[in-house]
Structures are given as C-alpha cells and as structure tokens.
Amino acid sequence: MPASIIARNARILLPMLSFVAILLAVFWLQPRAMSYVGLNLLLNLALPIAFATIAQMFVITVNDLDLSLGAYVGFVACVAATWLAEQPLLGMAALAGGVLVYAAVGALIHLRNLPSIVVTLGMSFVWLGLAILVLPTPGGKAPDWLRALMTWKTPLVPFTIYALLALAVVVHLGLMRSAQGAVLRGVGGNPRSVERAGWSLLKAKMIMFAFAGLFGMFSGLSLVGLTTSGDANIALRYTLLSIAGVILGGGEFTGGRISPIGAVIGAMTLTLAGSFLSFLRLDPDWQIGAQGAILILVLALRVIINRAEARGL
Amino acid sequence: MQSTDRTLVEFDGVAKSFGAVKALAGVSLSIGAGQCLGLVGHNGAGKSTLMNILAGTLSASAGRFLVSGEDVSERYGVTAANRLGIRCVFQELSLCPNRSVAENARIMHPSLKGICWRRRAATLIGGMLDTIFPGHDIDPSQLVGDLSIARRQMVEIARAFSATDTPVRLVILDEPTSSLDGVLAGQLLAFVRDFVAGGGAVILISHLLNEILTTADRVVVMRDGGVVADRPASGFTQITLVESMGSVAQEQARREQRSASLTAELKISAAPAMQGDATTLVARRGEVIGLAGLGGHGQTEMLVRIFQGQRKAQAGITVSGNTAMVAGDRQSDGLFPLWSICENATIGSLARLTRGWLIDPRAETRMGEEWKQKIGIRTPDMANPILSLSGGNQQKVLFARALGSDADIILMDDPMRGVDIGTKQEVYGMLRQEAAAGRTFIWYTTEMDELKHCDRVYVFRNGRIVDELSGDSISGERVLHSSFETAA
Amino acid sequence: MTALRHLLRKPWIGAYAGALAIWLATVAFTEGQGGGGVLTAALSFATFSVLVAIGQMYVITLGPGNVDLSIPATMTLAGAVSMKVMDGNNAMIVPGLAIALGCGAGVGVFNYGLIRLLRIPPIIATLSSSFLFLSAAISYSRGLRIKPPPLLADFTTWIVWGVPVLAVAGMVLTFVMSVILHRTIFGRTVTAIGQNARAARLAGLPVDRVRFATYVMCGMFAGLTGYLVSGFSGGAALNMGAEYLLASIAVVVIGGTSVAGGFANLPGLWGAAMLLFLLVTMLNTYGFGAGIRMVLTGVIIIAVIAVASGRRPSG
C-alpha cells in the first residue's frame, strides 16, 4: 500500500521537494531571511503570482492556454489604482466586466473552435490597450483597504502565508473535491464522455474561463495592494510565470490533469527562485532566461520520471 | 421477479443504413427481464450497430423499438436510455483518465451531489466492485489513468451496474472479459447470473463461445445485418454455433490455383509483437497472404509493424523490398481531405515525378489520368477534391496510390469496408494481375468471401497468429473456429 | 467573367480587399494627402511581417498545436549577434547574414529537440526557449547600440519610384517559397502532415525529418528578419521582435491559411500584412491614442480570425 500512496502523490511530491530544496538554499545563502520580516520580503510577491497561476490553471484544465493573463492582470492593477480608489462603483463594474469578457472568450473559443493561443494573444492587445486607456502613465494609488489588507501584520507568520494556504485549500475543495468540480475537470480529460452524460461543454468552458478572470482579478488587486501604484506593463511576465507555476506544480497541458495545491507551491517556488537567483548575484539579464530554463528542466525531469515509471510497470 | 417472459426491450423490424451500406436489415428481437442473452456473429454482422441503437448512441433508420411495451423509437437517446435503466459497457473505455474512480461514478449519476458526495460515490462504486469482484484491490480514490487496463474494465463494469435513483434494468456487455484474467472473468460471469436471477437483463457479446454457452439463457446469432438463429443456449454446441455464423453461400469456385512456388524469393518474415512462440508470418514473391480473424485482434498492428520494419530495422522482422499501405479506415489512415483526387493518388510516387527539385505537374497529371483509366475512378476531372468522390471511389484512389508506387509489397488494411460489389470485383481482378506480375500482397480482411482470393491465410486472435491455412483448407468454417475460442 | 469569379474564390481575396478598403478610408480622411507615401511605408513594414510569417505559416500548416512563439526572441538574438559581428563594417555584411541565419537555425534545432526528445508541446517548448534566447540576446548586447553597416542600412531603406527594393526582394522570396510549398516533395509533405499526420506516415512520407526542417526553416526566417529589421532601424533593439509575435500569427491566419493546418497560402500574407499596417496607420490618422489603437487592433484581429477560420466544433 505505501508504494501506491507514493505513486499517487508523486504528482504533488516533486513540487513540494523542489520548494523545500529552494527554500533551504535561500536560507543557507541568506540566513537573515529566516525571520518574520525576511519571510515577508521573500514571499509577498508570491501571492499575486499564485493567484495568476491558479487563473491559468483553470484555463489549462480545459486544455486551453491563456496568453493574455499578464496583460489582464496589468489592466486590473490599473483599474484598481485609479477607478476603484476614486469611484468604487465604476471600478467594481469594470472588474466584473473583465470577468464577463473572460467567459465570452471561453464561449468564442468553444463555439468557433478557435485555437485559444491565437484568441488570447489578440486579447492581450485588448487588455494592454484598455490598461493604457485607464492609466496612460504609471501611477495612481491603491485603495486604502487594499493596502491595509496586503500589509496586515498577522501573528506568527506574515499575511501572505495565510493567504497562500487559504487559496490552496479553497481551490482544492472547490475544484478537486466538489461534485461540480469533478465534472468541470472531466471536460479536459474526456470531453465526449462528459457530453454523453448530458453536461454542456459550452457552459463548462465559460465557467472555467470566468474563474480564470476572477482569479486573475485577485492577482491584479493583490499586486496593487503591494506596489501601491499601477502600471499597464506591471505584470506582463505573469503570463509565463503562471504557465510555469502550473507545470512546476505537477499540472499537464492536456487531459485536465492539474493540482491547485501544486500550482500554489509552484508559484511560491518560482518567486523564491527569483530571490535565490538574485542572492546568487546572477546577472539580471539572465533572470527571464533562468525561468525558461527552469520550465524546460522540470518538463525534462518529468519525462525522465514518466519513462522510468513506464519501464517499471 | 420470476417471470422470464416479461418483455423488457423489443426490436421490431429495426433497420440501419450508413449511406449505401446496409448495417441492419430489419431485425426483430426481444429480451425479457431476468434473462441473459448471448449475442454472437462475425465481423460486420450488425451486433455493434444494434447495441449502439439500444444504448442511444445511434438512431435506427426504420422500424420500431419498444421499452417495457412503450414505443420509444421517436425520442430516444443516451439520456433516455439512462433514465430507462439501460446501461452499456462498450469495448472502447469511456472513463475520464484524469479523475478518480469515485469521480467517474459521479459523471453517470448526477444525483451524487451535496455534502459528502465523494464518500457516497466511493461507497457506491466500491460496494459494486466488492459485489462483482470480491477481493479486488481498487481504491475508489485512485486515478483511473493510473489503473491497469483490466482494472479500468472492472471499474467500467461496476459503474454500469451501480444504481442511484433509477434501477438498472438492462446492461449490455460488449466483450467484457477481453482484458480480464480467468478468475476475474469467472467472477463477472457468476455475477451476471446473480443479476439475472434478481430480475435484471444482460446482453453478453463475446468471442469466447464457452462463456456464451455457460452464461446465457438464450443465444442469438447475427449474420449480414439480420438474426439467423435465436434459440435457448442449451440448443447449441460450440460447433453448431460456429456453423450458424458461417456464410450460407458456400464456397464458390475457388480462384484458379496458381503455382506460387515455394522457391520464390522470400519477401517478408515477421512475427506479431505478442506472438510468444516461434510462429512467423512468411510471404514470398507473388503471393497473396490473407490475415483473418475478428476485427481488432492484431491484424492492423501486424501490417503497421511490417510497414515500419521496412523503414527502420526491428527485431523479428525482415522485409526485402518496398512496402506501400492501402488504408482501410480512409478518414483516419488514408485520405488527405483538402487535396484533389490526383494529389491523393500521386503522393506515394512523387520521387518518380520530379524533374530536378520540382514536381513535374504534367507527369503528375499523366499518372493521375493513367490510374483513372486503369482502376476506373468515376470523376469528370482528377483535379476535383477527393471528398467529391463516393467512398468506393475514394478507396480506389488509395489503391492507385499504393499500386502506382514502386512498392513490391502491398499491405492492405481491410480496404473493402463500405465498398460496393462492382468496385470490389474490379479490384480483385487487378490484385490477381499484379500478383501474377510478381507483387506480394498482405491482405487483412474481415470478409470471409475475400479469403478465397488468397494463397495462404493466417488467423489472428488476441494479437497472435493462431492458425495458418493454405489452398483448399481455407474455409470460412475453419477461420470461424480459429477466431472464436472454441476450446473449453 | 469566369476569371473574375475564379478570382473571388481565392482564399486571399479578403485580405487584399480589406487592405484596399482601409487604405481608401485613410486616404479619404486625409483628402488624398500622402496616399502614396502610406503605401510605400506599408510595403516596407509589411515585408518584415511577411518574412516572419512565411516561417510561421509553414509551422502552422504542420497541424493543430504547431506554432512558433520564439520568433521575437530569435529576431532579437539574430539581430544583436549579427550587428555585433558586423560592427558597422560593410565587408562583414555577408558573414553577418550567415550568422543571423545560423542563429535562427540553432533556435529551430533547439526547439525541435524540446518538442521531439522531451515531448513538450510546441507552444510551451517555443515559449520557454524564447525566454532563454531573449536572455542570451540581452546579455550579449547589453548597453551596446551598434549601428548596422552603412551598405546594409542603405539597402534595407532603398526606395525606387516609391517601391522599397526590400519589398521586391521579399516578393521574390515569397514566390520561391510558394513554389517550394506546391512543387516540392518537402512542401507536399508539410501540407500532408497538417491534414493527417498518421496518413502521411502510412503513405511513406518522412514525417519527422520534414517537421524538423520546418522548425529550423521558421527559425531561419526569423533570423533573417531580425537581421533586416536591425539594418532598417539603425541597429538591434531588445524589444524589436515583440510586435512580430501576434503579427506573424495574425498575418498567416488572415491571409487565408488554415489555423487547423494542412492548407497554406502565400499570396495572402502580403494582403494581410498590408492590412495590419494600414489598420494601425488609419487609427493613427484618425487621431486615436495608443490605448484605443491596441484595443481595436486586438478586437479586429480576433474578429477576422473568428470569421475567417471558425468551424463548428465536430462531434
């Protein structure tokens, strides 16, 4: 039995091990990080990245990919730093509109059978353009409540860690443990069998894209709470980070095989990797490249593991 | 729940055609509660079509279809079938591999929701697995994708028999034991008897005739889209069962015996991947070799193995000469749907049609026209799209592609599916000519009549060669005996 | 009459008609001012889009899931490396070109290695490799803004009677690639794989070799474009490839090539590239700001793609 438990949890074990390894490496390089303030500094950017990763995960669950996520998070940040602070009602309407647009994009992709990367690549222009319209030059000011929330001094460990835990648990319960979540994930695994059982694929896709919009919105809000001002280009790299986070967390691009807990851990690992690389005094030019390399490395590692498993069976 | 005469499902003159091909020619059949019906027949007899109609995945072209005496033929579908308690375990598995066993149970039972649905789903599917396969070690929280094929099959079966708000009244089992070992198969068949004794109904399709004879109350034999025998199981023996599946039109004039001498050049020697013993398939220059047996028992894999073996050295395979493939599943293996007829025909021979680096369009057109004449492709213009042709003519294009290439070994993957009789005769004639001219043919066919065009026939079962027939010993009866497991 | 009907049925006619309509709308707004100048500029910029799009088109034609997202990084890398190697020296123009093409080919080999050996889906493989190559380009050319050799700069901006010479060269190359697509075994194999990869294999076509060659070729086109853009705009810039990612895909799709693969169309690339450039020009002329311009570009591209390539989901 233990062997089968390990096999079943291998998907989550690998991300956890890589997270612990990189955390230890960071502590070893910079022992001062082992404190409340240190942890906060290390991990506070992990929350927006984790939200974005979860958003991307919803899209990947139904075998699509969202290349507009970074631009969308930037748009939300701009809205939050301007309208949401000055005219809360208009701000909330704009954010709700963003979620609806996501659902509409899901519907368009399904109904016209379009490749998601083409549509979302086009959407990235739309979001970036809208962000520039809302906030032409970097600036603005985050609503006070958002800043208060993000800088909340919680007991024992920083707020970020509680928030990350809550995020992982809530999405895990909602998507992995609930009856509805099981059906939605089935869409990525075997759409025909889900359809045969009488569920609407269109509805499923719209729901999953709407969730992506919702969590992308949380990502933008938390990001603005941390940076206190907005910028249309603030989150463009989140597109790659979110995809990498899902993959790092044990998710796969097709077949609806994903893991919310893994995705959150993957996002944390990526954030730490950034700090780790800067502690190593790695040339900042190579920061992006290192992320690409990590992604390739993880995928390579997984291929090796899968082959070994296949040979073992 | 004693009454075995209570009719549950009744077909009345149900017919189904796919284009010009008649899959079912007016079947009348009924099955009662408390009965296990064995359904047997060779490839293309119409079993699958009939079961798909019953499961709601196909609709009949004509005839009436009654459930519990009520005519449902008008508004029937998968959902209706589920509501009426009709379940189906098809050969192709329909589980979501990325989800656990319990979650897969949920997809069939929308009523499993609310708090603790997971535990209830696990109890439901786990309980059913315990009932059918006592001592199994499947954990309902395991991912289906991590299970072996046999266990997936077990889950699929257990899911079909599990009931929530509607009772299960009829379960169709299509080759349910194909991936189960003897013990599990025995457990399943014992459970089927229990289920039937409790008033349920089961339709059992199997190529293992002893399974049919020991488990079913009644056996229905289908042939050529119709029912040819419908008797209590006790009225059959394995021998009589096989005989009733055979073709009525007895062996017509055999093809004229050619002396494909045993000394001719050896072209192929290859063993199926799963053979396990020393049997190998051997083909010589000018021979027509038939591959027979039930569909999906390893014949196509054998052809692909030979095809790849010629291109890349593989253990256990020697091929001397070039191979070309004639696909049977035109949509998935053969056609390039966006191309013209001519482009589809010449793709295998482009190396011969180039001048320098470029394909010579005139040479290409010439080859197209030549084969249009030679094989009789019915089209006003070879530049028309390939999809403008009928199925039979599309198939001729695929023959032209292979025969027009420089390959001296032609592999044919049941190429006559859905082809009209006229086309068939033309192609048979061409095969004979080409074989006489020295080409070698490996011909997988599901049609018994076609085997008489072969010099030798290998019969496949479960991925292995189980019999080799040659000359006069090639008979439909012998092939049937070998393709069905008749040993008890 | 039949000739006209024949023309109307061409898959690229929509792109040209759209480009013409937008040009007319722009010229009408300016009351005929600078209509010719706009066309000259459009031809210049369209050349670059078309060159990257040719490679992208071959890749997309390989079938669903095949796309090269590393084009911008490849352009930047090839531009930066070749500029540094040439160092403004006219004598190094040809070696510089060879190095730019070599960079592109290297990226293609690396991408296909990821796809084939690690079984990474092409989208992710090319996306992650693009970050590696972008970093390489940044690191290699940091702080340096090397001017292109004068001869190269002159050539890329050379205009004769209002027609950029580079555009003419691009059209010749487009024609050559069109011949390769339709008249060589390689081109036939690419379209065959895109329609039905299994059937292509069973027809005895060299599927793996052709896929490899296609990715390498796409990289080389991106490298060539990076080289030319650097010459055109006075040196390599780190973000010079950014706009070509969406452009390469949009030009391919709007030009009448099937996103689902198996059907490609080269003349359409020019119409689509002109359309995209003229669209931006028109929005500029009408006085829209950067934000609206981007939104409209995105929306119009999605709309055109949805109309041009949408099929009902089957099954």
Side-chain angles (χ1 to χ4, degrees):
Chain A
M1 228 33 199
S4 87
I5 288 173
I6 290 173
R8 204 171 338 134
N9 293 317
R11 199 164 287 283
I12 195 76
L13 224 55
L14 192 63
M16 275 185 171
L17 284 178
S18 31
F19 174 71
V20 169
I22 203 147
L23 187 67
L24 290 178
V26 166
F27 285 161
W28 179 66
L29 276 176
Q30 195 61 265
R32 269 178 300 166
M34 244 183 303
S35 63
Y36 188 99
V37 179
L39 272 179
N40 198 18
L41 278 175
L42 271 182
L43 280 176
N44 67 13
L45 273 176
L47 189 58
I49 295 177
F51 274 125
T53 304
I54 292 287
Q56 186 68 258
M57 189 195 72
F58 277 106
V59 177
I60 288 181
T61 306
V62 286
N63 298 346
D64 284 322
L65 208 58
D66 182 6
L67 296 184
S68 68
L69 191 59
Y72 171 69
V73 172
F75 162 75
V76 172
C78 288
V79 170
T82 52
W83 295 352
L84 197 62
E86 296 146 20
Q87 296 155 284
L89 273 183
L90 178 66
M92 280 186 239
L95 294 181
V99 175
L100 289 181
V101 169
Y102 255 86
V105 168
L108 180 73
I109 287 172
H110 178 75
L111 289 175
R112 304 290 299 170
N113 203 7
L114 298 171
S116 59
I117 55 157
V118 180
V119 177
T120 55
L121 211 50
M123 281 310 292
S124 71
F125 276 58
V126 174
W127 294 124
L128 197 58
L130 286 176
I132 292 173
L133 282 179
V134 173
L135 185 67
T137 50
K141 192 172 150 298
D144 294 332
W145 57 268
L146 205 51
R147 275 175 65 186
L149 181 69
M150 291 308 294
T151 51
W152 185 14
K153 282 235 167 220
T154 45
L156 295 175
V157 288
F159 166 71
T160 309
I161 291 179
Y162 290 110
L164 286 168
L165 262 176
L167 172 67
V169 169
V170 166
V171 178
H172 181 77
L173 288 181
L175 192 61
M176 308 301 283
R177 308 287 300 177
S178 84
Q180 286 76 11
V183 173
L184 290 173
R185 276 183 295 129
V187 172
N190 190 343
R192 278 195 60 194
S193 106
V194 172
E195 200 173 27
R196 231 185 242 174
W199 307 93
S200 158
L201 288 183
L202 172 67
K203 230 193 270 170
K205 214 154 223 187
M206 288 175 72
I207 291 173
M208 293 306 260
F209 269 80
F211 270 116
L214 187 71
F215 282 87
M217 181 183 94
F218 291 150
S219 171
L221 290 178
S222 54
L223 184 60
V224 161
L226 288 170
T227 60
T228 71
S229 68
D231 173 1
N233 296 310
I234 193 170
L236 289 185
R237 60 195 192 98
Y238 276 30
T239 303
L240 175 79
L241 281 181
S242 63
I243 297 171
V246 174
I247 303 310
L248 213 53
E252 275 167 36
F253 297 110
T254 51
R257 288 189 158 216
I258 41 95
S259 152
I261 297 179
V264 171
I265 294 176
M268 290 161 73
T269 311
L270 280 175
T271 319
L272 280 184
S275 313
F276 177 69
L277 294 174
S278 61
F279 287 153
L280 274 184
R281 304 223 165 67
L282 181 81
D283 196 333
D285 297 345
W286 283 97
Q287 290 271 357
I288 312 179
Q291 272 153 5
I294 290 175
L295 196 57
I296 293 173
L297 215 66
V298 169
L299 288 167
L301 206 61
R302 194 169 316 155
V303 170
I304 293 168
I305 290 176
N306 284 349
R307 285 207 186 135
E309 256 178 21
R311 218 170 298 133
L313 275 178
Chain B
M1 289 293 217
Q2 300 286 338
S3 51
T4 48
D5 58 329
R6 243 182 4 145
T7 304
L8 187 60
V9 171
E10 190 174 354
F11 292 104
D12 183 10
V14 167
K16 176 78 188 173
S17 321
F18 299 98
V21 183
K22 228 173 187 169
L24 284 182
V27 170
S28 296
L29 177 65
S30 70
I31 173 161
Q35 205 176 53
C36 175
L37 184 82
L39 188 58
V40 293
H42 201 249
N43 296 305
K47 294 171 304 194
S48 304
T49 312
L50 190 65
M51 289 307 106
N52 273 301
I53 290 174
L54 185 51
T57 42
L58 283 178
S59 57
S61 322
R64 289 194 317 148
F65 168 35
L66 299 86
V67 177
S68 307
E70 190 192 344
D71 189 346
V72 294
S73 24
E74 286 307 308
R75 49 201 158 72
Y76 196 68
V78 184
T79 337
N82 264 331
R83 205 180 50 244
L84 292 165
I86 296 175
R87 303 283 179 75
C88 192
V89 180
F90 285 118
Q91 268 177 290
E92 32 136 356
L93 296 177
S94 64
L95 301 172
C96 291
N98 62 326
R99 293 164 49 203
S100 74
V101 172
E103 287 170 340
N104 267 290
R106 145 85 174 149
I107 200 170
M108 195 174 255
H109 300 291
S111 64
L112 282 174
K113 57 184 167 204
I115 316 239
C116 296
W117 69 274
R118 186 176 299 269
R119 191 176 316 147
R120 278 185 288 129
T123 319
L124 180 74
I125 192 84
M128 196 37 83
L129 279 167
D130 290 338
T131 316
I132 305 178
F133 304 106
H136 73 88
D137 58 351
I138 300 172
D139 177 347
S141 64
Q142 260 175 307
L143 280 189
V144 168
D146 295 340
L147 297 176
S148 66
I149 300 284
R151 288 181 182 170
R152 286 188 214 188
Q153 181 105 27
M154 289 158 72
V155 171
E156 181 110 29
I157 291 168
R159 186 173 79 155
F161 279 104
S162 64
T164 44
D165 37 8
T166 46
V168 179
R169 297 202 288 175
L170 169 66
V171 178
I172 303 161
L173 297 173
D174 190 353
E175 297 285 357
T177 56
S178 57
S179 47
L180 302 182
D181 64 28
V183 177
L184 292 170
Q187 288 177 335
L188 172 64
L189 297 176
F191 173 77
V192 166
R193 288 311 314 166
D194 287 348
F195 180 73
V196 168
V202 169
I203 296 180
L204 178 66
I205 300 175
S206 176
H207 69 279
L208 303 172
L209 296 184
N210 61 323
E211 266 180 27
I212 296 277
L213 291 176
T214 54
T215 314
D217 304 293
R218 224 174 95 209
V219 178
V220 168
V221 182
M222 289 187 72
R223 190 171 66 216
D224 304 330
V227 172
V228 290
D230 182 351
R231 267 179 275 159
S234 50
F236 283 109
T237 62
Q238 292 193 1
I239 309 292
T240 56
L241 202 48
V242 167
E243 276 165 2
S244 59
M245 282 187 275
S247 189
V248 207
Q250 269 313 316
E251 318 292 315
Q252 298 142 10
R254 290 206 61 81
R255 64 175 278 201
E256 69 281 22
Q257 289 290 329
R258 287 186 307 103
S259 44
S261 105
L262 284 171
T263 55
E265 182 197 350
L266 188 67
K267 301 298 284 186
I268 302 176
S269 149
M274 289 155 64
Q275 187 61 35
D277 58 29
T279 316
T280 45
L281 179 152
V282 176
R284 293 174 188 281
R285 188 180 136 86
E287 269 191 319
V288 179
I289 304 291
L291 307 185
L294 292 170
H297 276 242
Q299 300 93 335
T300 304
E301 287 77 359
M302 183 80 239
L303 294 176
V304 173
R305 233 169 106 78
I306 295 172
F307 183 78
Q308 287 171 342
Q310 184 237 315
R311 281 157 180 81
K312 205 169 139 198
Q314 256 173 317
I317 298 185
T318 347
V319 181
S320 50
N322 291 327
T323 55
M325 185 87 142
V326 182
D329 187 338
R330 290 187 292 276
Q331 306 310 328
S332 85
D333 297 353
L335 294 182
F336 299 107
L338 303 175
W339 275 354
S340 72
I341 304 167
C342 187
E343 284 170 311
N344 265 287
T346 54
I347 185 67
S349 318
L350 288 182
R352 281 189 292 122
L353 301 175
T354 48
R355 273 222 314 251
W357 284 81
L358 298 182
I359 298 166
D360 180 1
R362 265 169 311 175
E364 200 182 0
T365 317
R366 216 161 33 235
M367 178 179 167
E369 285 304 321
E370 181 194 328
W371 280 94
K372 180 186 167 184
Q373 301 304 329
K374 224 170 178 174
I375 207 165
I377 299 166
R378 282 178 203 99
T379 177
D381 188 349
M382 287 293 279
N384 283 349
I386 183 78
L387 295 183
S388 67
L389 294 180
S390 68
N393 278 294
Q394 289 175 2
Q395 196 64 53
K396 284 187 191 172
V397 175
L398 295 187
F399 272 108
R401 185 193 290 171
L403 296 177
S405 75
D406 56 5
D408 41 9
I409 302 167
I410 310 284
L411 308 166
M412 303 194 290
D413 181 17
D414 201 10
M416 300 298 188
R417 266 178 266 176
V419 173
D420 63 279
I421 183 75
T423 306
K424 282 182 186 172
Q425 295 303 339
E426 292 170 38
V427 174
Y428 296 153
M430 188 159 292
L431 291 189
R432 254 172 252 145
Q433 264 177 6
E434 293 284 335
R439 270 185 157 152
T440 306
F441 289 86
I442 311 288
W443 185 0
Y444 164 41
T445 171
T446 49
E447 289 180 40
M448 222 55 104
D449 284 350
E450 291 182 344
L451 293 177
K452 66 175 186 276
H453 297 282
C454 300
D455 299 305
R456 282 183 297 118
V457 171
Y458 292 95
V459 183
F460 280 69
R461 192 175 70 225
N462 294 332
R464 304 174 63 241
I465 295 173
V466 290
D467 202 1
E468 181 190 338
L469 323 173
S470 61
D472 288 332
S473 72
I474 301 175
S475 72
E477 198 185 327
R478 172 94 180 262
V479 170
L480 274 171
H481 271 288
S482 310
S483 23
F484 285 89
E485 174 84 65
T486 45
Chain C
M1 203 55 216
T2 46
L4 183 68
R5 207 173 307 135
H6 193 66
L7 189 70
L8 283 178
R9 233 181 288 137
K10 292 284 183 197
W12 41 260
I13 197 75
Y16 282 94
L20 185 65
I22 289 175
W23 179 69
L24 288 175
T26 315
V27 174
F29 187 82
T30 59
E31 288 162 353
Q33 294 288 307
V38 166
L39 275 188
T40 303
L43 276 174
S44 282
F45 285 98
T47 308
F48 302 129
S49 309
V50 167
L51 287 181
V52 280
I54 291 175
Q56 186 74 281
M57 185 198 73
Y58 269 86
V59 169
I60 287 180
T61 303
L62 286 176
N66 283 292
V67 71
D68 187 350
L69 299 185
S70 68
I71 284 179
T74 313
M75 286 175 64
T76 310
L77 181 68
V81 173
S82 62
M83 286 303 124
K84 196 161 176 178
V85 167
M86 292 187 290
D87 199 20
N89 184 352
N90 278 343
M92 292 296 285
I93 286 185
V94 173
L97 175 65
I99 279 170
L101 291 176
C103 283
V107 173
V109 170
F110 186 78
N111 282 339
Y112 192 70
L114 294 181
I115 294 166
R116 179 88 181 120
L117 300 178
L118 297 186
R119 311 238 176 84
I120 303 178
I123 296 171
I124 309 303
T126 54
L127 189 66
S128 31
S129 79
S130 79
F131 286 88
L132 273 178
F133 292 118
L134 193 61
S135 270
I138 294 174
S139 157
Y140 186 75
S141 68
R142 187 144 53 114
L144 297 172
R145 177 80 183 179
I146 302 170
K147 288 239 174 291
L151 215 58
L152 178 64
D154 290 347
F155 173 73
T156 49
T157 50
W158 185 14
I159 293 169
V160 179
W161 299 315
V163 179
V165 173
L166 197 58
V168 176
M171 285 177 195
V172 171
L173 190 54
T174 312
F175 177 75
V176 171
M177 293 313 292
S178 180
V179 170
I180 288 181
L181 180 72
H182 295 289
R183 293 275 305 275
T184 65
I185 297 181
F186 169 74
R188 284 285 176 90
T189 307
V190 169
T191 37
I193 294 171
Q195 292 175 61
N196 190 336
R198 183 174 158 84
R201 229 177 260 280
L202 290 178
L205 299 173
V207 172
D208 294 321
R209 246 182 300 154
V210 165
R211 267 164 50 102
F212 172 70
T214 306
Y215 274 93
V216 171
M217 191 183 80
C218 180
M220 288 173 75
F221 268 100
L224 172 68
T225 316
Y227 172 82
L228 293 173
V229 171
S230 307
F232 182 79
S233 53
L238 290 181
N239 61 348
M240 66 187 226
E243 60 186 294
Y244 289 98
L245 179 54
L246 180 65
S248 70
I249 299 175
V251 164
V252 169
V253 178
I254 295 174
T257 293
S258 160
V259 213
F263 176 80
N265 175 345
L266 280 135
L269 296 181
W270 281 94
M274 297 283 280
L275 184 146
L276 281 187
F277 180 81
L278 290 170
L279 180 68
V280 175
T281 314
M282 179 182 77
L283 297 174
N284 269 331
T285 319
Y286 285 11
F288 288 125
I292 299 224
R293 233 162 46 214
M294 293 187 96
V295 173
L296 285 177
T297 312
V299 168
I300 290 174
I301 288 174
I302 294 175
V304 171
I305 288 168
V307 172
S309 66
R311 290 168 295 119
R312 297 252 116 213
S314 51

